[in-house]
Amino acid sequence: MAFEGFPEVCSTGQIAAPDAFGYWEHLVTGALTEVAIAPTVPRPFAGRIRSADFGEVAIGTVAVEGHELRRHRRHIARAGEFHVIGSVVLGGSAQVEHAGHRVELTPGAMVFYDTTQPISWRSDGPIEDLTIRVPRQRVVDFLGVRAEALPAGRVIGGGEVGFTLARFFRRVADLHATDPAAAAVLAAAGIDLLGAAATIAAGREPGRAQAEAVTRQQVLDFVHAHFTDPGLSVERIATGCRVSRRTLYRLVDDLDGGLGALVRRLRVERARTLLAAGEVSSIAAVATASGFGTERQFYRVFRAATGMTPGEYRIVARDGGAAA
């Protein structure tokens, strides 16, 4: 359970046991909302957390040992602003009491919190989750509901919607380290995804724009998962995502160059990584591992994208001069 480069709390190393939970509370308050935290297991406490703030949307990724988290009325009374938080469990389990609901969270499950209300959360072992925090009024306006009708304490069971949101927002968080501007654009676009999940949790049918935002992300996830297959085609993508070709084209009509260009970009990036690492011995093997059907196609596409042949790129990368 490790996130390289995350702020870390460890009662056996960096921070002494008496101070570990105080520091962890400080980190969680900054990334999520003000809470009180206590251990639930006798093992030494350890946790890693990172967060990225994009204005209206803040994203946090956490991996932590078993603990109990509570948001009391005293926290609420001194809060300067309130949020709706969507949380997707990536690993482990937890029990939650919130807004009159008692639920068990398992991998893929997504729960919504309203920070104007108390929260009781407990895990009895290691857990990993991802949270998306949005201003409460923004969600009220987006859903067009009274504040009392927010889906607080309601869960979308473990399944594709939760994992789709988790994959998207984790990608945003990862991109923030290398390209904050691009990450901010993605985060803003992700409000439709979060709105769709909140609508489903509230027991309503998402609108067309919300439903298509989820389906579009599922299409992009499918492409990212299968681009190294030389046989990947529009027909296979449409079948795999259970949409018609016409719908598929409409969902991705804003992509620069369309689906074909996206697949080529992903394959070229994979090839650049493999060539720079030098772990794959032959150019032909790099072509195959990157999803190109033939070595000739690989040379043509790679040179058009980088201005170099794969062999030239490998030499420059080994000398430390290849463009990132």
Side-chain angles (χ1 to χ4, degrees), residues 100-186:
H101 299 278
R102 299 181 64 179
V103 295
E104 176 83 18
L105 302 179
T106 55
M110 181 172 193
V111 64
F112 287 87
Y113 303 104
D114 178 352
T115 64
T116 66
Q117 301 187 52
I119 301 169
S120 176
W121 182 102
R122 179 186 176 95
S123 66
D124 292 314
I127 188 165
E128 180 182 353
D129 67 6
L130 180 142
T131 60
I132 309 101
R133 190 187 69 191
V134 179
R136 187 172 186 264
Q137 190 58 49
R138 178 74 166 86
V139 179
V140 168
D141 294 342
F142 186 96
L143 295 181
V145 299
R146 294 175 294 107
E148 310 86 74
L150 287 171
R154 299 183 187 176
V155 173
I156 301 174
E160 189 56 33
V161 173
F163 280 128
T164 293
L165 264 78
R167 283 191 294 266
F168 174 81
F169 283 106
R170 197 164 195 174
R171 194 173 298 147
V172 174
D174 290 342
L175 184 60
H176 182 255
T178 57
D179 193 342
V185 171
L186 278 182

Side-chain angles (χ1 to χ4, degrees), residues 7-259:
E8 180 176 6
V9 178
C10 181
S11 61
T12 58
Q14 293 182 324
I15 298 176
D19 301 321
F21 276 96
Y23 185 54
W24 187 253
E25 283 180 358
H26 169 73
L27 291 177
V28 172
T29 294
L32 191 61
T33 195
E34 189 177 8
V35 293
I37 294 176
T40 60
V41 295
R43 296 185 296 274
F45 176 76
R48 293 175 186 264
I49 185 172
R50 74 172 176 181
S51 63
D53 196 326
F54 301 99
E56 283 195 325
V57 179
I59 302 167
T61 312
V62 175
V64 63
E65 185 53 87
H67 66 287
E68 185 176 57
L69 176 154
R70 292 183 182 273
R71 180 167 171 82
H72 299 294
R73 295 199 179 278
R74 69 175 183 273
H75 298 131
I76 297 167
R78 62 185 180 223
E81 58 183 337
F82 297 105
H83 299 89
V84 169
I85 299 169
S87 177
V88 185
V89 177
L90 305 177
S93 63
Q95 301 80 44
V96 173
E97 293 184 30
H98 181 52
H101 299 278
R102 299 181 64 179
V103 295
E104 176 83 18
L105 302 179
T106 55
M110 181 172 193
V111 64
F112 287 87
Y113 303 104
D114 178 352
T115 64
T116 66
Q117 301 187 52
I119 301 169
S120 176
W121 182 102
R122 179 186 176 95
S123 66
D124 292 314
I127 188 165
E128 180 182 353
D129 67 6
L130 180 142
T131 60
I132 309 101
R133 190 187 69 191
V134 179
R136 187 172 186 264
Q137 190 58 49
R138 178 74 166 86
V139 179
V140 168
D141 294 342
F142 186 96
L143 295 181
V145 299
R146 294 175 294 107
E148 310 86 74
L150 287 171
R154 299 183 187 176
V155 173
I156 301 174
E160 189 56 33
V161 173
F163 280 128
T164 293
L165 264 78
R167 283 191 294 266
F168 174 81
F169 283 106
R170 197 164 195 174
R171 194 173 298 147
V172 174
D174 290 342
L175 184 60
H176 182 255
T178 57
D179 193 342
V185 171
L186 278 182
I191 291 180
D192 275 343
L193 284 173
L194 186 62
T199 302
I200 294 168
R204 299 163 50 197
E205 286 292 322
R208 177 174 173 176
Q210 297 170 343
E212 289 194 348
V214 174
T215 304
R216 182 180 190 274
Q217 191 55 43
Q218 290 172 340
V219 167
L220 296 178
D221 287 342
F222 188 92
V223 172
H224 276 83
H226 296 90
F227 72 87
T228 56
D229 179 357
L232 186 64
S233 64
V234 169
E235 290 78 9
R236 185 176 169 197
I237 296 169
T239 299
C241 297
R242 299 184 295 279
V243 297
S244 67
R245 286 179 53 130
R246 181 177 179 181
T247 297
L248 177 61
Y249 283 125
R250 187 180 72 250
L251 290 171
V252 298
D253 64 0
D254 63 333
L255 289 178
D256 184 17
L259 271 178

Side-chain angles (χ1 to χ4, degrees), residues 275-276 283 308-322:
L275 290 167
I283 297 298
M308 290 182 275
T309 68
E312 290 168 342
Y313 185 91
R314 171 174 274 172
I315 292 171
V316 174
R318 285 176 174 174
D319 291 342

